[in-house]
């Protein structure tokens, strides 16, 4: 049972990789970006666990900035994804413009909240 | 704001024309919404109403005088003496900032309107905006027609009007607009799935957070909807885009508002959103995997992913529970709790229970506040269900939840009103669709229908117009709305029909087979129904909700009689007492005293410190001497009581007295409610208990009252008072207004000499113990 | 001719400058007597008063033209009632009027004797001093009486149990006992305003000398012979049950306390009555506090509001009236409270011996409307009670500390995300 | 001698000139118009025509002063023995809170030279409470008396005993030797009734002191004189007796006194009941805003105070309602404001809203506004309120022959029998009004400032007039002149129109742009 599942897992991983290989590079870039953001977030959580949540607002802003970035990136990915049927009418430029706008707002708020 | 969607919608000339028409109607609706709320100014005067608005007004004055930073850091030492109150940190700044900005803009244009004027007219302006927002929201849900109907219904719905007549300068005035607009943007994002609207959504959510504690409603409703969609298997990446950014931004922005601060992540009102946030990510991931994998591999994948996902969820839930447990009052503030458990307040928090607008509503109040909409709503729900879209499901959800809440707290009828309007808007437009359409199909000729449809409208509208004539001139510009609304709408209908027949599904067709008479009669009936509603609303606006509670009028045979006692008393205090004197009164009058009399008060309508209020309650319900000692220990110089016995003003302090006893007794056990009740009932006549008759409140209210008519007949309680002739030993009357409605007493200085029997009149600080202690400033989000 | 110009001729009722805050000593005394012989029999006492600059006005107690005030202004600063037996005063004067006179801040000397009327007793008891109800009762002491040939009933008492207070009785202690003949009274110990200045010896009791000795109502040292009351408005009263206390005879006569070896040439009465009248008429023990100021450490101006945890300096000046001028008051027990429903800070002020008291402390970490309170009550001194209100605000939004080192990682994180964002945009666009 | 008197007149003229020349720049521009300010100028010029330009005259005057200094000081003790007052009669009216004194004196010139100035003396306290002083020459007998007003203004003179203040009445035609003339003087004293006792209870009635001199304080020898004092009620507590003195009912008579030397003074005090409202407006700001669209908008901000004996202790509404005449005799609850005729849109409110107790009676003569403060005023109580009204433009705005507009408006406070401690009038001219100037019939300081009202760009020039101690007798018209071209009236409407037009253009542009964008995008 365990064996089969493990083999399943192996095959799954393989197929995943193959499937992922198909994705266009710009999506890859986005994924990279997302990963980076999440990683930062995790690091912070760990640090918070160690040091304690004294400057709570700083912690929040730090964490949320990462999460926010990740979320926005994901949204962007969803929108510019060619396979995605829902966003035929939405031009990728428009999507990216929105994305930039969102990020600007986000970082503005973060800056405000950090201090 | 309404113009771009409208005009973009149509490319053909006809639709462009329709768009312009719609735009025009919308504009008129705005004017209607604004002008119907001016009854109070016309019938009375341009003045701030009731209690909380006076506080907001005072804060706005401070803001306009000292600027935003001073306002943010304002520590007010004139209220809650001696504790003081950090206004900047405990007030929802949205309303104040809005009005302040408007004032600033006007003045920079050299239009010298006073702050007061701006404040008075803020509410009507925003109710117009709210009507527009409703239009947009409903339009997103169901086409323009429904939008217009809903908008006009909301523009004059009484329950919203009750909070937004000119002069009632309260948070709800702007909050409702923010609420609806946020929902609109949410739906918009859901439909378009563009990040741009998501950002706007977050921003308008921010505005909502700034302006009203009710924002928790949004931050709980939207997750519910998202969850609903996921459960119903309607997950789409648009849903993700609509929701995920909102949570992140929303939390950040909410945390920026001083009042909310870390509550945005600490208190459990917000946890639902985080939970759903996690869930939606899991779901998104799953669907992503499904997207890139072949179905059979997916079978395999799903198991693993699910296990992982569930593990994550469990972990998350565990964390949340831990957080909830850690946070104070299980993270739920009093009023929210009393929302979930209706009996909570009456059990634990008398202060919340004591406010009339926190009581559960009665059925008449439903009829009073939303009138015929109550009957249209079910139809609307049905209409929403065929066909069910994300948007319509959201609206339904909104309606259901708000119905529940309004059932708990009368005040939240306000949240229900828009939902009801939207629903019935949809219902009406659908009905008109069906009926007019059937009429049109019946008559082969397309040209004849608009006229006779038109003149049925005109007939009906004239009917109401002469009904309406009796009221004053406000209405006649209303009546022409009524005139043109149905006719225009019908015209819009039959052009919508074109795309409807294209767009809508077949079942529409089956509905259309109605005999001509039936349909036209039905139309007529609907119109009559609406006209009834309109009349009711106008009546409500003119009579029920336009009175500013600080100046009362009564019609007697010899014309109108004005009771302006409150302002008389306040202005007396303002001009004839020292600037630093402290005035003690029951907390209802705190805001007015600080705003109008500009004197320091002990407690006020922001009831953040129960103990302090209880202290005053205790003093009011104690005999003279202990009361004097309590007040003296608080440096009180004057005591103000409101007394309606002479002119029959029902909501005076004697009628509120039991609450003082309860609240006082809640903290200081030596005050026991039964002592004030003669076998269970509350009376002030000869049968009243001695405790009652010796209480300070009784004495201050009825001091020398008997001398007015010889036997001391109280016109409110409809009885003769129990104890008629008595002297005051520790207080002296310094002012009583013309109709005795406000009586102000001064504390006498301590006795100069000690007689043999005298004890030390040093304050035995027993009743005060711990007044300072509990610093749990309940920043209740529903205030 | 022009010299007459501008001396505004005052009507008789216009008062010359009188008892006032900056000159507390009384000026004009009204003395009510039963018969004018008292004027001569007590002349020494009156002389000593006049020599100290008082203007005395003698009236028969039942003179119909007596009135203490006219148009709300008091015509006298002090009242001396040497008319024990008067049943009701003449003119507008009555018990209430006398007490109002005291409540208006003026002083009173009330001397009764065995014939004390209800009126007198009433005034006394309203001030917290109760004469023995028994009408005949006088103070009798068979042990510490004053030896004299006339009196066999030992009603003439040589009392020397003085209150220990230089303020009331002056620095120079009174050696010779004071002769007393009259009725005793009692003072409720819970009464913080009334003080027994001269009390009887433990062996004394108050009863009627003729009647059979029943259990006397007052006995021993609870009997007060002379007591003073200082009202809350610092009006002072002297109440005694012996009018003879002030007579020339007692002032002049020699005293030999029974059982004591030494025999004094001259009784203590003169010194006693002089000193105590000085006290009663505010020639001594009258304090005033002025210039209550507070400011940040190192600044001079008084701020409108303090912030929590500010350091502030507080100072106040206290002076004592010496009968002719204000002298700096020196004591080491003056305290200031920083008070909001309960004292948050309680500090003893240090003086610079020139009347200036000052201290400095840190505002507690609690915001609210505080008060600087000085409550100073000392035996024999007028009580000081001052308070000044000052709000204390919490930190402003920009007064919290910023850039906490512990938070640097977070800063780093958020900045890195921003940087990341820019890089990402560039890469993304470039990649297109 | 004659030289000396002309010197006196010049001297007064010169001294008079000083204050006016010491005003701010634009104020000075105003001065040229105002008759009162111009008055000394005119007199100086009168001399100057024969001599030299005014500047030179002033220098000459200075010299004259120096020369004349010594003799004038010699004379000082009695400035002119040549003049004496044959008979003087003073009637002091104490029936209201404002003291009015009517002084009739018959003056005779004994000296050889002409006398063109008659001096009046006041004690310093009187002088500082002196609100207004008018003098007039009377001719003819009982029936057909005719009065001709005379100029009165303060003068300085060396060596006056005890700092008495002098006012000189300048006669129209100098008094020849041996001639006599009758001068009637009215002067009004404010704040000179001193309540005593200073604090009273609700049911007590108010007693006040009045201090004065039994005989006329005058720099001249007075042959015969008498003084009547009229009190409001019979109740007079006490009064100084200087025989002959007698009292009948509400009248108190001092005199006749004979042959009193100059500067004689016998202080007297009268202590009597006066329950008239001691209503004092501590500060009154009147804003008169002229709109050439056809109305003058007036807004008056009052700070009212009951300046009588302070109320102490209990205020019982019960007693007050039961017997106002006894409990609350000294209080007042009603005021009468006399507004100009054809007044409309009157309002009466305070900082917390409208005050509902007021009645307006209008007729073609005048309008009377009857106002009640929110509560009855007892001694020491205060109240603030605002009265606003607008009147049609044509009633108050006229065109002077030289094409200037001028506003002709009444100066004082419209409240009846009320004195104003500090009066400020702000006349707000329409935007674009040029070189404004004010003409006030008595001295008062005024200057210019800018105020911004609805949609103003350059702001409206505003004439601000300040005066202390104003009594009802000051209710005489004053004028404000300015040039104004009606073109300015159109400025703001045009502005609005353009803005709206631009807005629509913007909308249209936006819509088109928007369409193009969306088409490109989609």
């Amino acid at each position: 049972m365990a064996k089969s599942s493990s083999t399943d897992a192996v095959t799954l991983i393989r197929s995943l990789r193959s499937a992922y290989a198909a994705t266009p590079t710009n999506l890859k870039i986005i994924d990279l970006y997302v990963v980076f953001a999440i990683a930062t977030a995790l690091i912070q959580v760990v640090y918070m666990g160690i040091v304690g949540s004294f400057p709570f607002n700083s912690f929040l802003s730090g964490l949320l900035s990462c999460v926010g970035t990740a979320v926005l990136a994901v949204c962007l990915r969803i929108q510019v994804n060619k396979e995605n049927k829902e966003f035929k009418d939405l031009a990728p430029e428009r999507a990216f413009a929105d994305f930039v706008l969102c990020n600007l707002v986000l970082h503005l708020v973060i800056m405000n909240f950090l201090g | 704001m309404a113009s771009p969607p409208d005009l973009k919608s149509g490319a053909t000339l006809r639709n462009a024309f329709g768009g312009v028409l719609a735009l025009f109607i919308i504009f008129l609706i705005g004017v209607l919404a604004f002008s119907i709320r001016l009854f109070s100014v016309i019938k009375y005067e341009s003045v701030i109403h009731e209690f909380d608005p006076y506080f907001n007004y005072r804060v706005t004055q401070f803001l306009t005088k000292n600027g935003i930073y001073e306002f943010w850091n304002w520590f007010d030492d004139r209220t809650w003496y001696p504790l003081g109150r950090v206004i900047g940190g405990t007030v929802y700044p949205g309303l104040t900032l809005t009005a302040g900005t408007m004032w600033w803009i006007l003045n920079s244009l050299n239009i010298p309107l006073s702050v007061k004027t701006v404040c008075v007219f803020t509410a009507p302006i925003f109710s117009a905006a709210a009507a527009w927002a409703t239009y947009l929201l409903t339009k997103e849900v169901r086409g323009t027609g429904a939008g217009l109907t809903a908008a006009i219904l909301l523009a004059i719905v009484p329950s919203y009007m009750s909070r937004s007549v000119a002069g009632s300068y309260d948070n709800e005035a702007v909050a409702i607009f923010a609420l609806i607009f946020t929902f609109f943007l949410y739906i918009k994002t859901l439909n378009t799935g563009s990040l741009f609207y998501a950002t706007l959504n977050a921003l308008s959510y921010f505005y909502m957070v700034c302006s009203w504690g009710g924002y928790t409603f949004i931050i709980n409703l939207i997750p519910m909807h998202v969850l609903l969609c996921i459960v119903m298997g309607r997950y789409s990446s648009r849903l993700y885009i609509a929701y995920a950014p909102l949570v992140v931004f929303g939390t950040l922005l909410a945390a920026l508002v001083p009042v909310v601060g870390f509550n945005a992540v600490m208190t459990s009102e917000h946890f639902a959103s985080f939970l759903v946030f996690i869930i939606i990510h899991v779901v998104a991931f799953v669907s992503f995997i499904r997207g890139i994998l072949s179905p059979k591999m997916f079978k395999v994948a799903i198991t693993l992913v699910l296990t992982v996902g569930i593990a994550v969820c469990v972990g998350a839930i565990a964390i949340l529970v831990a957080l909830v447990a850690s946070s104070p009052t299980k993270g739920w503030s009093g009023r929210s709790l009393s929302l979930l458990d209706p009996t909570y307040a009456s059990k634990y928090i008398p202060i919340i229970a004591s406010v009339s607008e926190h009581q559960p509503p009665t059925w008449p109040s439903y009829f009073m506040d939303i009138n015929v909409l109550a009957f249209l709503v079910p139809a609307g729900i049905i209409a929403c269900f065929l066909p069910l879209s994300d948007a319509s499901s959201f609206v339904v959800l909104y309606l259901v939840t708000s119905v529940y809440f309004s059932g708990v707290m009368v005040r939240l009828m306000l949240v229900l009103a828009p939902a009801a309007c939207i629903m019935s808007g949809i219902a009406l437009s659908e009905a008109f669709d069906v009926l007019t359409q059937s009429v049109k199909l019946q008559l082969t000729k397309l040209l004849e229908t608009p006229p006779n449809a038109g003149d049925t409208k005109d007939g009906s509208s004239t009917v109401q117009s002469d009904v309406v004539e009796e009221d004053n001139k406000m209405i006649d510009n209303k009546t022409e709305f009524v005139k043109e609304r149905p006719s225009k709408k019908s015209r819009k209908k039959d052009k919508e029909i074109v795309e409807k027949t294209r767009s809508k599904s077949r079942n529409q067709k089956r509905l259309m087979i109605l005999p001509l008479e039936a349909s036209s009669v039905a139309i007529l009936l609907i119109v009559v129904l609406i006209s009834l509603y309109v009349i009711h609303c106008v009546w409500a606006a003119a009579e029920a909700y336009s009175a500013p509670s600080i100046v009362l009028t009564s019609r007697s045979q010899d014309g109108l009689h004005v009771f302006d006692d409150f302002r008389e008393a306040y202005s007396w205090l303002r001009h004839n007492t020292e600037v630093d004197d402290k005035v003690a009164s029951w907390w209802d009058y705190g805001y007015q005293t600080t705003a109008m009399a500009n004197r320091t008060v002990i407690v006020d309508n922001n009831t953040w410190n129960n103990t302090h209020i209880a202290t005053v309650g205790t003093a009011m319900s104690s005999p003279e001497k202990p009361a004097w000692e309590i007040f003296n220990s608080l440096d009180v110089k004057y005591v103000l009581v409101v007394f309606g016995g002479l002119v029959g003003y029902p909501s005076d302090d004697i009628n509120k007295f039991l609450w003082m006893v309860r609240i006082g007794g809640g903290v200081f056990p030596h005050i026991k409610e039964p002592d004030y009740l003669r076998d269970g009932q509350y009376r002030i006549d000869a049968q009243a208990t001695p405790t009652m008759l010796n209480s300070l409140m009784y004495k201050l209210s009825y001091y020398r009252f008997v001398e007015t008519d010889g036997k001391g007949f109280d016109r409110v309680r409809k009885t003769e008072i129990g104890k008629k002739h008595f002297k005051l030993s520790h207080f002296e009357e310094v002012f009583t207004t013309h109709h005795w409605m406000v009586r102000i007493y001064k504390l006498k200085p301590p006795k100069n000499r000690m007689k043999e029997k005298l004890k030390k009149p040093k304050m035995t600080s027993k009743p005060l113990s711990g007044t300072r202690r509990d610093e749990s400033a309940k920043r209740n989000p529903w205030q | 001719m022009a010299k007459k110009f501008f001396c505004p001729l005052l009507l008789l009722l216009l008062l010359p400058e009188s008892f006032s805050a900056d000159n507390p000593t009384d000026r004009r005394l009204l003395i009510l007597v039963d018969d004018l012989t008292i004027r001569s029999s007590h002349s020494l006492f009156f002389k000593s008063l006049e020599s100290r600059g008082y203007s005395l006005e003698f009236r028969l107690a039942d003179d119909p033209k007596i009135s203490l005030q006219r148009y709300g202004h008091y015509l006298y600063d002090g009242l001396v009632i040497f008319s024990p037996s008067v049943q009701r005063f003449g003119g507008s004067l009555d018990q209430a009027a006398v007490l109002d006179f005291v409540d208006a801040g003026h002083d009173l000397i009330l001397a009764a004797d065995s014939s004390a009327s209800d009126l007198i007793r009433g005034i006394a008891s309203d001030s917290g001093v109760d004469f023995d109800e028994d009408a005949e009762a006088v103070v009798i002491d068979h042990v510490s009486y004053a030896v004299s040939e006339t009196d066999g009933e030992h009603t003439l008492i040589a009392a020397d149990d003085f209150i220990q207070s230089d303020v009331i009785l002056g620095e120079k202690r009174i050696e010779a006992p004071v002769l007393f003949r009259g009725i005793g009274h009692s003072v409720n110990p819970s009464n913080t305003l009334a003080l027994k200045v001269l009390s009887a010896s433990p062996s004394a009791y108050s009863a009627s000398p003729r009647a059979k000795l029943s259990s006397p109502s007052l006995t021993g040292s609870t009997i007060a012979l002379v007591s003073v009351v200082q009202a809350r408005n610092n009006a002072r009263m002297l109440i005694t049950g012996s009018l003879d206390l002030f007579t020339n005879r007692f002032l002049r006569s020699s005293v030999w306390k029974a059982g004591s070896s030494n025999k004094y040439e001259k009784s203590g009465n003169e010194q006693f009555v002089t000193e105590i009248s000085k006290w009663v008429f505010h020639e001594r023990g009258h304090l005033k506090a002025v210039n209550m100021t507070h400011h940040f450490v190192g600044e001079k101006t008084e701020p409108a509001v303090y912030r929590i945890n500010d350091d502030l300096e507080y100072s106040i000046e206290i002076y004592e009236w010496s009968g002719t001028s204000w002298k700096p008051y020196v004591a080491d027990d003056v305290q200031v409270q920083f008070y909001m429903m309960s004292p948050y800070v309680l500090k003893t002020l240090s003086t610079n011996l020139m009347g200036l008291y000052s201290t400095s402390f840190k505002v507690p970490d609690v915001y609210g409307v505080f008060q600087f309170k000085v409550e100073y009550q000392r035996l024999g001194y007028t009580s000081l009670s001052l308070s000044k209100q000052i709000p204390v605000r919490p930190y402003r939004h920009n007064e919290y500390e910023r850039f906490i080192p512990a938070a640097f990682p977070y800063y780093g994180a958020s900045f890195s995300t921003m940087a990341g964002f820019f890089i990402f945009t560039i890469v993304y666009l470039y990649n297109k | 001698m004659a030289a000396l008197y002309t010197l006196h007149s010049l001297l007064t003229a010169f001294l008079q000139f000083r204050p006016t020349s010491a005003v701010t720049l634009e104020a000075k521009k105003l001065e040229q118009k105002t008759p009162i300010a111009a008055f000394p100028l005119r007199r100086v010029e009168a001399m100057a025509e024969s001599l030299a330009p005014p500047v030179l005259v002033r220098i000459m005057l200075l010299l004259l002063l120096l020369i004349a200094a010594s003799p004038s000081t010699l004379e000082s003790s009695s400035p002119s023995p040549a003049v004496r007052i044959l008979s003087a009669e003073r009637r002091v009216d104490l029936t209201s809170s404002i003291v009015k004194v009517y002084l009739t004196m018959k003056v005779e010139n004994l000296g050889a030279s002409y006398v063109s100035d008659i001096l009046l003396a006041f004690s310093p306290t009187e002088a500082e409470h002196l609100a207004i002083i008018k003098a007039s020459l009377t001719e003819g007998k009982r029936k057909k008396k005719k009065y001709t007003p005379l100029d009165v203004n303060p003068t300085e003179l060396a060596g006056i005993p005890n700092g008495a203040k002098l006012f000189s009445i300048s006669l129209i035609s100098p008094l020849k030797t041996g001639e006599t003339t009758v001068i009637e003087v009215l002067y009004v004293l404010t704040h000179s009734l001193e309540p005593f006792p200073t604090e009273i209870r609700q049911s007590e009635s108010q007693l006040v002191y009045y201090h004065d001199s039994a005989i006329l304080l005058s720099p001249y020898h007075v042959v015969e004189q008498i003084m009547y004092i009229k009190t409001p009620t019979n109740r007079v507590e006490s009064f100084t007796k200087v025989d002959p003195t007698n009292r009948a009912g509400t009248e108190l008579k001092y005199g006749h006194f004979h042959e009193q030397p100059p500067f004689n003074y016998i202080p007297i005090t009268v202590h009597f009941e006066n329950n008239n409202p001691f209503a004092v407006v501590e500060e009154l700001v009147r804003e008169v805003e002229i709109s050439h669209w056809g109305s003058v908008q007036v807004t008056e901000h009052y700070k009212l105070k009951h300046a009588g004996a302070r109320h102490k202790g209990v205020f019982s509404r019960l007693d007050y309602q039961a017997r106002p005449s006894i409990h609350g005799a000294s209080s007042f609850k009603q005021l009468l404001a006399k507004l100009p005729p054809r007044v409309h849109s009157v309002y009466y409110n305070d900082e917390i809203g409208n005050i509902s107790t007021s009645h307006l009676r209008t007729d073609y003569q005048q309008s009377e506004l009857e106002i009640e403060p929110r509560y009855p005023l007892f001694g020491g109580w205060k109240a603030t309120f605002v009265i606003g009204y607008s009147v049609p433009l044509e009633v108050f705005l006229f065109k002077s022959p030289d094409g200037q507009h001028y506003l002709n408006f009444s100066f004082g406070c419209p409240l009846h029998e009320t004195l104003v401690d500090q009066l400020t009038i702000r006349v707000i001219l329409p935007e674009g009004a040029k070189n404004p100037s004010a003409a006030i019939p008595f001295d008062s300081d005024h200057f210019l400032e800018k105020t911004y009202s609805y949609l103003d760009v350059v702001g409206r020039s505003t004439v601000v007039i300040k005066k202390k101690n104003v009594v009802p007798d000051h209710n005489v018209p004053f004028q404000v002149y300015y040039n104004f071209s009606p073109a300015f009236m159109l400025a703001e409407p045009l502005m609005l129109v353009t803005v709206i037009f631009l807005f629509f253009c913007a909308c249209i542009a936006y819509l088109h742009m928007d369409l193009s964008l969306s088409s490109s995008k989609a």
Side-chain angles (χ1 to χ4, degrees), chain B residues 247-258:
Chain B
V247 173
V248 179
F249 277 87
T251 315
L252 262 175
L253 289 164
L256 275 182
V257 181

Side-chain angles (χ1 to χ4, degrees), chain D residues 371-494:
Chain D
I371 58 174
E372 290 182 12
R374 290 189 184 273
Y375 43 87
L377 269 84
F378 281 79
W381 288 11
K382 295 180 180 164
T384 65
F385 54 88
V386 178
I387 298 178
Y389 52 88
S390 52
V391 285
L393 191 68
E394 61 272 20
V395 185
F396 294 98
L397 195 72
F398 308 98
K399 253 185 172 327
S400 59
D402 59 354
Q404 273 196 318
H405 295 275
Y406 70 94
L407 172 84
N408 188 2
F409 206 74
S410 124
F411 187 82
C413 152
L415 288 185
H416 167 255
E417 276 298 322
T418 306
L419 99 96
V420 182
D421 287 348
Q422 171 65 50
L423 172 67
T424 309
I425 303 183
R426 311 181 72 249
V427 182
I428 303 174
L429 306 173
E431 193 173 17
K434 292 277 181 310
N435 50 30
S437 63
I440 303 116
F442 27 72
D443 60 345
S444 61
D445 54 353
H446 42 7
F447 52 90
L448 282 181
E449 63 182 31
K450 288 258 181 234
T451 51
Y452 288 88
S453 178
Y454 290 90
L455 295 173
D456 287 354
V457 184
V458 298
R460 319 192 165 192
S461 47
T462 305
V463 182
V464 184
I465 306 163
K466 286 181 180 292
K467 181 157 174 54
K468 285 188 161 31
N469 223 355
V470 178
V471 290
D473 304 83
H474 284 109
N475 284 357
V476 291
F478 72 100
Q479 294 80 25
V480 173
Y481 297 80
Y482 63 94
N483 307 25
F484 181 74
S485 72
F488 279 102
M489 291 164 66
L490 296 176
E492 284 167 9
L494 284 178

Side-chain angles (χ1 to χ4, degrees), chain C residues 22-157:
Chain C
D22 52 0
N23 177 8
T25 305
D26 295 355
R27 282 278 175 278
R28 301 151 306 157
L29 306 182
L30 175 65
I31 296 165
L32 300 178
V33 293
D34 281 337
D35 55 2
L36 292 171
T37 59
I38 289 182
R39 201 172 168 169
S40 52
S41 63
H42 295 59
S43 56
L44 286 171
F45 175 60
F46 296 139
K47 286 234 169 39
S48 76
L49 287 179
E50 266 161 344
S51 66
R52 302 212 303 272
Y54 296 94
S55 68
L56 310 186
E57 179 176 346
F58 289 88
R59 289 292 186 86
L60 281 176
D62 48 10
D63 178 346
K65 293 197 298 302
I66 305 176
S67 75
L68 288 176
Q69 60 171 333
R70 181 107 185 253
Y71 298 118
H73 283 257
Y74 281 97
L75 308 174
Y76 309 98
D77 311 314
L79 181 60
V80 179
I81 301 182
F82 276 0
S83 57
S85 59
V86 65
Q87 289 305 329
R88 50 178 307 282
F89 295 117
S92 65
L93 195 60
D94 59 1
Q95 179 172 340
V98 171
L99 293 171
D100 290 345
F101 181 76
V102 172
D103 291 347
H106 300 103
D107 305 324
L108 173 70
I109 291 183
L110 179 68
D113 64 10
S114 48
S115 67
S117 66
D118 296 345
L119 177 60
I120 302 297
R121 291 171 183 274
I123 295 174
S125 68
D126 271 350
S127 322
V129 171
D130 295 315
F131 286 114
D132 189 350
E133 280 76 5
D134 180 359
E136 282 84 42
V138 293
V139 183
I140 305 176
D141 191 334
H142 295 303
V143 177
S144 62
Y145 57 93
V147 180
S148 74
E149 56 286 353
T150 58
D151 153 59
E153 297 164 330
H154 301 152
T155 55
L156 176 62
I157 294 170

